[in-house]
Amino acid sequence: MDNLLSNLKIKVSDGLFQIDPFTSKLGKSIIFHSVEMITELGFEKFTFKKLGESIGSPEASIYRYFKSKNQLLCYLISWYWGWMECRLILEIANISSPIVRLEKSIALVLSNTNENLLIEEVEVYKLHQITISESIKTYLNKDVDNSNKEGAFLNYKQFVERVSKIINEINPDYKFPQMLLTTIFEGAHLQVFFGEHLPRLTNKQNAPDYITKFYINLALQSINS
Amino acid sequence: MDNLLSNLKIKVSDGLFQIDPFTSKLGKSIIFHSVEMITELGFEKFTFKKLGESIGSPEASIYRYFKSKNQLLCYLISWYWGWMECRLILEIANISSPIVRLEKSIALVLSNTNENLLIEEVEVYKLHQITISESIKTYLNKDVDNSNKEGAFLNYKQFVERVSKIINEINPDYKFPQMLLTTIFEGAHLQVFFGEHLPRLTNKQNAPDYITKFYINLALQSINS
DNA sequence: GCAAATATAATAGTATTACTATCATTTTGA
DNA sequence: TCAAAATGATAGTAATACTATTATATTTGC
């Protein structure tokens, strides 16, 4: 997989940066260290000043790449869904059964790479964790309509779109594929978080992949009924 | 309903305030105006300074009631779930069928009072909107374990607990009531938000209560299978 | 009805955040 | 090699999220 993906450039909407970070050393460093730092501190306590210190560059230089820390978060999350779409395509290629393809799509959203895979300076393991706790902050705010215009959610929409087509292969009459999928994807992330911090809000099991199985069942029951 | 509820005092964990706001005029004013202001500005742009100006009291006075704007948000959201539990109890009293009780529980989470009902200085219509866009911010952060210790999520847990008991009446062997319910409650809020701002991530229908029906079906299919 | 306790107002101050601006220096690439 | 672009160094600003202090109301318990 690494080899295949190392030839890919994940497309991120150009409204999500001022200068494409992958065109320079500093840009790549911003990406690498921001993933590290947001994972460690959480988005609220993460600042460009701290980021600058850890990179060894002044704050002002970071602002040349991203106009705000919000834009940077949107960039990272968008990159994540772009990368997930790549993984999805590889994962379900040559699988004829749409049910199996759907199962694999849902499993993918909950899977994390074990090794700390580094793609385009992005530690994808950590970015997965960031997506779980921080991604909703890209849209649950009063600037959502602007972010939307800047293309912040295109990659996520495209991912959802691709999987909803699989749902309509299974049942062409199913009316709520996007609704079902965002319920599942966002719900899945939340259950991971609850499992760690608020166990009374979930049903943690020792069985591996119990969250995945739960959501696969939920999806298939809903689609086939 | 108003009459019944006007005799109730919604219980909020005392880790969520410094001074109980309902014991003074200023406290009540903080509650009333913060609901107004968070609805209007969103949580990020809401500040104690602006709140103080609109109340006509200095910032420092507000800090005597709530040690941070985060604590205030936790208070409001907790109050919301306390209030929702009261509504739930009234709503499902004397209904023998657990299926109907479950349906009503889910419908309740998506329902908003039409009139701008004022309970204990809380405009509940606006607080419902705040819950949709801001409630996850009470826990998706690095302070979650502390907030949890302070009782920030007790009312929500209790609400979920109460409804999960209904699920286990329907099917005593069902293993994932909390997981199903938080998926539904959080998902339901999200679909409302997507319907307004990111329609490609949902399936907005003209039919009234389509979100409610979707989640009721989802629940019943999952529980009965 | 009055003193004491308590709540509030008025004001000031601090460290940090989220930026913007300017100019010198280094890197790059045609 | 020379100009353009990127970066570094430095400074500055308005706002945020608080804390502290002291004076003035207001409440309350006796």
Side-chain angles (χ1 to χ4, degrees):
Chain A
M1 187 164 72
D2 305 44
N3 282 341
L4 240 165
L5 288 163
S6 63
N7 296 324
L8 282 174
K9 161 106 170 123
I10 309 289
K11 214 194 266 174
V12 174
S13 175
D14 59 14
L16 299 184
F17 51 79
Q18 311 300 109
I19 301 169
D20 182 348
F22 290 113
T23 59
S24 76
K25 207 176 161 187
L26 176 60
K28 286 175 198 163
S29 192
I30 290 170
I31 297 301
F32 179 85
H33 285 92
S34 65
V35 169
E36 289 262 300
M37 201 166 255
I38 295 172
T39 308
E40 205 185 324
L41 301 178
F43 186 62
E44 283 76 19
K45 284 167 194 150
F46 163 79
T47 69
F48 277 7
K49 186 159 188 224
K50 291 173 192 163
L51 179 60
E53 279 159 16
S54 101
I55 291 175
S57 278
E59 220 183 335
S61 295
I62 298 165
Y63 280 97
R64 292 208 195 84
Y65 285 84
F66 297 99
K67 68 181 176 193
S68 66
K69 70 173 193 164
N70 240 291
Q71 192 186 40
L72 173 55
L73 182 64
C74 287
Y75 182 94
L76 293 175
I77 300 297
S78 185
W79 189 96
Y80 176 82
W81 288 109
W83 144 254
M84 288 298 280
E85 197 183 1
C86 292
R87 287 180 70 193
L88 181 67
I89 290 165
L90 294 175
E91 189 81 7
I92 65 177
N94 306 315
I95 294 173
S96 58
S97 160
I99 290 177
V100 176
R101 268 183 280 139
L102 178 63
E103 287 172 352
K104 281 190 177 272
S105 307
I106 293 172
L108 188 71
V109 170
L110 276 151
S111 82
N112 205 341
T113 48
N114 293 341
E115 351 86 81
N116 200 354
L117 194 55
L118 191 75
I119 309 281
E120 288 185 344
E121 298 301 310
V122 175
E123 294 177 290
V124 291
Y125 181 88
K126 290 183 181 174
L127 185 53
H128 175 86
Q129 292 181 279
I130 291 173
T131 303
I132 288 175
S133 350
E134 316 292 353
S135 63
I136 51 110
K137 296 172 193 170
T138 58
Y139 55 79
L140 281 183
N141 59 57
K142 294 279 178 186
D143 297 322
V144 58
D145 299 328
N146 272 326
S147 306
N148 195 24
K149 272 175 207 151
E150 290 170 344
F153 315 114
L154 279 175
N155 283 353
Y156 185 38
K157 288 175 192 169
Q158 216 169 297
F159 186 91
V160 170
E161 191 67 29
R162 191 176 282 275
V163 184
S164 53
K165 279 181 184 149
I166 302 174
I167 291 179
N168 281 329
E169 277 184 66
I170 301 172
N171 178 357
D173 297 325
Y174 188 74
K175 292 280 180 299
F176 311 101
Q178 279 82 357
M179 199 158 158
L180 178 65
L181 287 174
T182 55
T183 298
I184 289 173
F185 297 156
E186 303 292 337
H189 287 157
L190 224 48
Q191 299 307 318
V192 174
F193 187 88
F194 288 162
E196 278 172 46
H197 299 285
L198 301 165
R200 276 179 64 190
L201 293 177
T202 187
N203 303 88
K204 200 167 182 173
Q205 317 267 308
N206 285 325
D209 296 326
Y210 68 98
I211 302 178
T212 304
K213 283 171 192 153
F214 173 82
Y215 284 110
I216 287 175
N217 284 335
L218 200 67
L220 293 176
Q221 283 152 9
S222 183
I223 295 164
N224 288 316
S225 70
Chain B
M1 188 164 71
D2 304 45
N3 283 341
L4 239 167
L5 287 164
S6 63
N7 295 324
L8 282 175
K9 160 110 170 119
I10 309 288
K11 214 195 266 174
V12 175
S13 175
D14 60 14
L16 300 183
F17 52 78
Q18 311 300 108
I19 300 168
D20 182 348
F22 290 112
T23 59
S24 77
K25 207 175 161 187
L26 176 60
K28 286 176 197 161
S29 192
I30 290 170
I31 296 302
F32 179 85
H33 285 92
S34 65
V35 168
E36 289 263 301
M37 201 166 256
I38 295 173
T39 308
E40 205 185 323
L41 301 179
F43 186 62
E44 283 76 19
K45 284 166 193 152
F46 162 80
T47 70
F48 276 7
K49 188 164 187 214
K50 292 173 192 164
L51 179 60
E53 278 158 17
S54 101
I55 291 175
S57 278
E59 219 185 337
S61 295
I62 297 165
Y63 279 98
R64 289 209 308 280
Y65 285 84
F66 297 99
K67 69 180 174 192
S68 65
K69 72 172 191 164
N70 239 294
Q71 191 185 40
L72 173 54
L73 182 64
C74 286
Y75 183 95
L76 293 175
I77 300 297
S78 184
W79 189 97
Y80 176 83
W81 287 110
W83 145 255
M84 288 298 280
E85 196 183 1
C86 291
R87 287 180 71 194
L88 180 69
I89 290 166
L90 295 175
E91 189 80 6
I92 65 177
N94 305 318
I95 295 173
S96 58
S97 158
I99 290 178
V100 176
R101 266 182 281 139
L102 178 63
E103 287 172 352
K104 283 191 177 269
S105 306
I106 293 172
L108 187 71
V109 170
L110 276 151
S111 81
N112 204 341
T113 48
N114 295 342
E115 350 87 82
N116 199 353
L117 194 57
L118 191 75
I119 310 279
E120 288 186 346
E121 297 301 308
V122 175
E123 294 176 290
V124 291
Y125 181 88
K126 291 184 180 176
L127 186 52
H128 175 86
Q129 292 181 280
I130 290 174
T131 303
I132 288 175
S133 342
E134 317 292 353
S135 64
I136 52 109
K137 296 172 193 172
T138 59
Y139 53 80
L140 281 184
N141 59 56
K142 294 280 178 185
D143 296 323
V144 58
D145 299 328
N146 272 326
S147 306
N148 195 25
K149 271 175 209 152
E150 289 170 345
F153 315 113
L154 278 175
N155 282 354
Y156 185 38
K157 288 175 193 170
Q158 216 169 299
F159 185 91
V160 170
E161 191 66 30
R162 192 176 282 274
V163 184
S164 54
K165 279 180 183 149
I166 303 174
I167 291 180
N168 281 327
E169 278 183 67
I170 302 172
N171 176 357
D173 296 325
Y174 188 74
K175 293 280 181 300
F176 311 100
Q178 279 83 357
M179 199 157 158
L180 179 65
L181 287 174
T182 55
T183 298
I184 289 174
F185 298 156
E186 304 291 337
H189 288 158
L190 224 48
Q191 300 305 319
V192 174
F193 187 89
F194 288 161
E196 278 172 46
H197 298 284
L198 300 166
R200 277 179 63 191
L201 292 178
T202 187
N203 303 88
K204 201 166 182 174
Q205 317 265 310
N206 286 325
D209 296 327
Y210 69 96
I211 301 178
T212 303
K213 282 170 194 154
F214 172 83
Y215 283 111
I216 287 176
N217 284 336
L218 200 67
L220 293 177
Q221 283 152 9
S222 183
I223 295 164
N224 289 317
S225 68

